[in-house]
Amino acid sequence: MLDPKIIKERPEIIKDMLKARSVDFDLDGLVESDQRRRRYIIETDELRKKKNLMAREISQKKKAKEDATSILAEMKDVSVELTRLEGRQEENEKIHASLSLAIPNLVDESVPVGPDKRSNKEIKRWGCLPCFDFKIKDHIDISENLDLVDLERAAKVAGARFYYLKNDLVRLNQSLIHYALDFLSKKGYLLIQPPYMINRKAMQGAVIADDFEEAIYKIEQEDLYMIGTSEHAMAAMHSDEIIEGRDLPLRYAGVSPCFRKEAGAHGRDQKGIFRVHQFDKIEQFAFTRPEDSWQEHEMMLGIAEEFYQQLEIPHRVMLLSTGDMGKVSAKTYDIEAWMAGQNAYREIVSCSNCLDYQSRRLKIRFRDKTNEGTQYLHTLNSTLIATSRILVSIMENFQTKDGHIRIPQALQRYMGDRKEI
RNA sequence: GCAGAGGUCGCCUAGCUCGGUAGGGCGCGGGCCUUGAGAGCCUGUGUGCGCAAGCAUACGGGGGUUCAAAUCCCUCUCUCUGCGCCA
C-alpha cells in the first residue's frame, strides 16, 4: 500500500514506477476511487451530523415529556437515507481497497531499470572458485552415491520437488540451522520461531495478490495459509500495533520451514533439492525508523555476506533491476553462490527494503512520546540461509576426488568435529 | 471439545442491571506557580475528512432490534479459569 498523499498529489511518481516495473495497472481507477472515497466521506459525515442533532433534540423532548412524533418520523427517513449512502460508500471502499492492495511498491532511484534479470547489476564478488583435478559431479549424483537424499520415494509419497534427507545430510542441515541461529544471535537478533500457517489478513499484509496464486499453499476449509517464508509471519507479528520509538530497530531472526508452490517454474531445476516445495530458512527481519532503513538494508546484506565468507562459499552480490524485483520491495540485493556442479552462480539470498509498504498494509506504527502522532515504520527482510540451496552448494563445491564431501571449517564443531561426510 | 468469566484511547479502569453526546487514572506534551526541581493547579494527548474552523468516527470483528446501541439480541473470534482429550 502506498501513501495516499502520493496518489493524490504526485501521481506521476506512480506512473514512472509502473513504467519502470512494466506493470499493467489501472492507476486511473485508483485515483478516481480515491477521489470518490473522499467525497463519500464528506457526504456521509454531513448526514450523520444532521442525525446526531436530531437525536439530541429527541432526547431533550423526551426528557421534557414533550411530543416527539414528527421529529421521530423525520429521523427515520434520515437513517434510511444514511444506510443507502453507506452502502454506496462501502462498494467504493471495496474497489479502492483491492486496487490499493494490488499496486506495487515505489522503486528506489538506485535500482537499474530493465525488463528482466539481464539488467541486474553485479556489485561485487567474493572467493576463489574451486578447482578440481577430477571429473566433478552435481549434487544429485553425490547425494545418491552417499545415500543422503531419497527423491524417488518422496515423489511417490508427496510428489515432484519433495525430498527425504537422510543420514549425515540431516545432520548437516541441522548444523546449518544451528550455526545460523548462533550467528544472528551474536549480532543481536531476537530468535523467533513463528507459526507456519497464518490467516489471510496477515498473509495479505506481506504478500501481493498475484503471489497468492503463484506461491502460497492454502489449507482447505480453513482461513489458513502455509507461510512461504517466516517473513510473512514476522511482518504480521506487530500488525495493528504502535511500537515505542525507543524499541526500534527490532531485529528478528526467524527460523521456519518454507512452503512454496513454484507454480511458474515448470521445467526449471526439475531434479534435486535446489528448487523444492519445502525447505528450511533462517531469515533476517527488521522494523526500523524510516530514516534508518537504507542503512539497515546495507547492514543486513553485509551480515549475509559475512556469513558466506565464514562458510567459505564463493559468491557475488547482485543489485536487482526493476523487472526482476518483487512487487513489495523498493530495492533488492541478491547473493548468488557458486554451484560447481552447475558451473554457475545461483540465487541463495534476497535482501529487500520494503519501506512503509508492508507497514501500511499491516498498520504497524511507532511513536516516541505517548502524546505524539504515529508514523508508519519501515520493514526489511533478508535471507540469511535457505538450507537446501546451501546443501547443494556445499556438496558440489566441497566434493572430493573419492566422492566424499568436506565439511566447511565453521560447521565442523556442529558436526562433532568431523571434517568429512 | 464442554462450561464459566472477560476484550472500552499507548497502558490501567468506570459505564452495561434499567439504551439517550464514553468518564477517570497512569504515561507523555504545553502552560501557571517556583531561583531550580518536585508537588499542586490548568490544558492537551485515538482515527478519518478538511487549508482551517470544525465535523464525523471509535468500546474485539460482523449482523440484528430501535428514532437512537459500549449498553438489548444473534454470530464469529481471541484471552483467562475449570473439566475433557492429546504429543
Side-chain angles (χ1 to χ4, degrees):
Chain A
M1 204 174 281
L2 299 177
D3 188 345
K5 230 189 246 164
I6 297 176
I7 294 167
K8 191 180 157 197
E9 289 163 16
R10 310 281 309 275
E12 73 279 1
I13 292 179
I14 296 172
K15 220 169 266 175
D16 290 348
M17 174 275 287
L18 292 169
K19 198 178 158 202
R21 287 186 184 267
S22 45
V23 163
D24 196 24
F25 180 83
D26 181 13
L27 181 58
D28 291 340
L30 179 61
V31 171
E32 281 162 25
S33 70
D34 185 59
Q35 284 166 354
R36 271 200 304 274
R37 199 177 95 87
R38 290 166 212 274
R39 243 189 5 250
Y40 277 131
I41 287 170
I42 291 168
E43 280 178 40
T44 50
D45 276 6
E46 263 166 28
L47 204 55
R48 286 203 189 99
K49 182 181 173 184
K50 190 171 166 192
K51 192 178 152 187
N52 287 343
L53 289 172
M54 292 169 87
R56 265 171 244 181
E57 205 178 327
I58 290 167
S59 176
Q60 274 165 14
K61 285 204 174 185
K62 292 232 166 177
K63 262 184 209 154
K65 304 244 161 69
E66 289 172 28
D67 177 48
T69 322
S70 70
I71 192 159
L72 277 175
E74 198 185 334
M75 177 130 165
K76 188 155 197 169
D77 290 345
V78 171
S79 286
V80 169
E81 169 67 12
L82 184 59
T83 307
R84 205 176 55 83
L85 196 59
E86 280 171 340
R88 286 202 308 213
Q89 183 181 17
E90 201 180 320
E91 218 171 286
N92 185 62
E93 284 294 328
K94 274 186 201 152
I95 295 167
H96 182 254
S98 79
L99 286 167
S100 295
L101 286 172
I103 194 164
N105 201 355
L106 298 173
V107 173
D108 187 62
E109 289 173 356
S110 61
V111 172
V113 176
D116 54 41
K117 67 193 306 183
R118 283 170 307 189
S119 307
N120 295 352
K121 201 169 128 202
E122 185 174 314
I123 304 286
K124 54 181 128 168
R125 281 182 191 222
W126 183 93
C128 302
L129 303 188
C131 297
F132 299 95
D133 57 357
F134 55 92
K135 190 166 184 300
I136 61 168
K137 306 186 191 84
D138 66 18
H139 79 276
I140 298 161
D141 288 339
I142 297 166
S143 57
E144 213 163 84
N145 290 342
L146 293 172
D147 193 24
L148 298 175
V149 173
D150 189 335
L151 295 171
E152 274 178 37
R153 291 197 175 94
K156 174 178 73 180
V157 170
R161 295 200 196 281
F162 286 95
Y163 53 94
Y164 287 93
L165 293 188
K166 294 169 75 180
N167 295 324
D168 283 331
L169 207 56
V170 176
R171 289 189 197 285
L172 192 61
N173 189 57
Q174 293 300 318
S175 298
L176 285 168
I177 293 169
H178 195 166
Y179 174 51
L181 290 177
D182 283 352
F183 182 85
L184 282 186
S185 199
K186 276 185 208 143
K187 300 283 184 195
Y189 281 68
L190 179 67
L191 304 187
I192 303 274
Q193 192 169 346
Y196 301 160
M197 294 177 246
I198 61 179
N199 63 34
R200 176 152 196 118
K201 196 174 167 221
M203 190 63 95
Q204 214 164 241
V207 178
I208 209 156
D210 312 357
D211 293 345
F212 258 88
E213 294 307 313
E214 287 273 301
I216 305 293
Y217 287 107
K218 178 168 182 7
I219 306 295
E220 254 187 277
Q221 319 271 341
E222 307 267 352
D223 178 25
L224 285 173
Y225 298 79
M226 308 290 291
I227 56 172
T229 154
S230 59
E231 173 204 342
H232 299 156
M234 286 191 289
M237 198 171 161
H238 292 295
S239 57
D240 296 313
E241 289 184 25
I242 298 170
I243 310 279
E244 299 275 0
R246 63 167 180 272
D247 292 337
L248 295 176
L250 293 174
R251 297 189 177 114
Y252 294 157
V255 53
S256 78
C258 303
F259 306 95
R260 299 186 181 182
K261 281 193 196 168
E262 298 290 345
H266 14 261
R268 275 191 289 155
D269 310 303
Q270 194 62 51
K271 291 195 79 182
I273 61 167
F274 183 83
R275 185 181 300 278
V276 280
H277 290 307
Q278 179 193 320
F279 55 92
D280 296 310
K281 183 148 73 81
I282 287 82
E283 177 90 347
Q284 310 179 59
F285 196 93
F287 300 87
T288 75
R289 295 172 164 278
E291 63 270 26
D292 295 339
S293 69
W294 289 116
Q295 193 191 330
E296 187 81 11
H297 190 220
E298 296 297 323
M299 194 199 81
M300 280 178 145
L301 176 67
I303 285 174
E305 288 178 85
E306 185 188 334
F307 184 77
Y308 289 103
Q309 288 163 14
Q310 292 192 8
L311 273 182
E312 307 164 57
I313 292 177
H315 57 269
R316 63 178 187 179
V317 178
M318 308 294 288
L319 173 58
L320 296 197
S321 66
T322 50
D324 199 27
M325 223 167 63
K327 293 205 174 88
V328 301
S329 174
K331 182 178 182 179
T332 299
Y333 292 112
D334 272 9
I335 297 180
E336 297 179 345
W338 182 253
M339 310 268 170
Q342 303 181 39
N343 201 41
Y345 285 101
R346 299 299 308 271
E347 177 187 345
I348 54 163
V349 165
S350 193
C351 176
S352 300
N353 186 354
C354 299
L355 306 176
D356 60 3
Y357 185 85
Q358 288 178 326
S359 70
R360 280 181 189 280
R361 289 171 158 242
L362 289 160
K363 283 210 187 64
I364 314 172
R365 293 158 298 169
F366 77 95
R367 66 177 165 202
D368 294 305
K369 303 271 172 63
T370 50
N371 70 316
E372 273 179 359
T374 57
Q375 270 188 81
Y376 288 105
L377 43 71
H378 282 193
T379 61
L380 302 98
N381 65 83
S382 172
T383 322
L384 182 70
I385 176 172
T387 59
S388 57
R389 292 204 171 174
I390 302 310
L391 293 176
V392 171
S393 172
I394 290 174
M395 283 190 269
E396 294 186 353
N397 294 340
F398 288 74
Q399 60 183 293
T400 62
K401 196 170 188 171
D402 59 0
H404 288 270
I405 304 159
R406 279 195 301 116
I407 297 169
Q409 179 96 48
L411 286 179
Q412 288 175 8
R413 68 189 198 84
Y414 295 91
M415 291 288 287
D417 291 322
R418 289 169 55 195
K419 297 191 164 43
E420 209 176 77
I421 290 171

